[in-house]
Amino acid sequence: MISIKFVCMKHTLGKEERLKSKKLIEKLYEERNSVKAYPLRMIFLQTDHTSEFPAQVGVSVPKRNFKLAVDRNRIKRLMRESYRLQKEIVYNNLEEPYVFMISYIGKDKCTYDEIFLKMEKLLTRFVSEVKNKKNEEV
């Protein structure tokens, strides 16, 4: 059991914090525990991973909704940036390691401010969902 509290946290999103493992991503989509804060959806899974960080994250934007790679890449960049600045919401409230994928499910482009607010809402919902599941187990 890993219990790490990041009090003085660097606002970075390094290689160790990114979800890259194809096996973990497949396992993540099989389990399908999710929370939503439209236009964002987070699919999460409590599992051990190779990183010393309490969470690994990936972001995705479907090609079906945004045909141009420029648009998809911009939205992914905005999502990563808003997560990077708010990850202490998750890090300070997790006891076990998690992996999660944040997907953009909207059909219209959002501004950075809108994504930032929705990311905050999504992360707090995720933390409350995890705490509720933990309380149900006990």
Side-chain angles (χ1 to χ4, degrees), residues 79-102:
M79 288 167 55
R80 278 194 298 267
E81 177 69 6
S82 62
Y83 173 78
R84 179 184 74 83
L85 294 174
Q86 300 181 71
K87 66 183 177 182
E88 67 268 1
I89 295 170
V90 174
Y91 280 26
N92 291 332
N93 292 300
L94 291 183
E95 278 90 42
E96 294 101 16
Y98 276 83
V99 295
F100 44 86
M101 180 70 74
I102 302 172

Side-chain angles (χ1 to χ4, degrees), residues 13-29 43-45 47-51 55-60 80 83 98-102:
L13 189 62
K15 188 177 180 180
E16 293 284 313
E17 294 176 87
R18 296 184 187 217
L19 180 59
K20 301 280 189 182
S21 168
K22 286 189 178 189
K23 288 181 182 177
L24 277 179
I25 293 170
E26 286 174 9
K27 194 174 175 184
L28 181 67
Y29 279 100
I43 301 171
F44 60 92
L45 176 66
T47 184
D48 289 328
H49 49 75
T50 57
S51 173
Q56 283 188 329
V57 64
V59 296
S60 70
R80 278 194 298 267
Y83 173 78
Y98 276 83
V99 295
F100 44 86
M101 180 70 74
I102 302 172

Side-chain angles (χ1 to χ4, degrees), residues 39-41 59-62 65-66 75-76 79 102-111 114-115:
L40 303 176
R41 178 182 66 200
V59 296
S60 70
V61 179
N65 296 346
F66 297 96
I75 293 169
K76 285 191 282 189
M79 288 167 55
I102 302 172
S103 300
Y104 189 89
I105 56 175
K107 300 211 184 294
D108 300 321
K109 296 181 213 172
C110 283
T111 64
E114 293 169 332
I115 290 179

Side-chain angles (χ1 to χ4, degrees), residues 108-134:
D108 300 321
K109 296 181 213 172
C110 283
T111 64
Y112 174 72
D113 294 330
E114 293 169 332
I115 290 179
F116 190 86
L117 291 173
K118 294 299 182 173
M119 183 67 71
E120 182 179 13
K121 194 175 201 180
L122 183 74
L123 296 176
T124 52
R125 281 187 183 170
F126 166 70
V127 167
S128 64
E129 180 83 16
V130 167
K131 286 185 177 181
N132 288 342
K133 283 190 176 191
K134 190 169 185 172

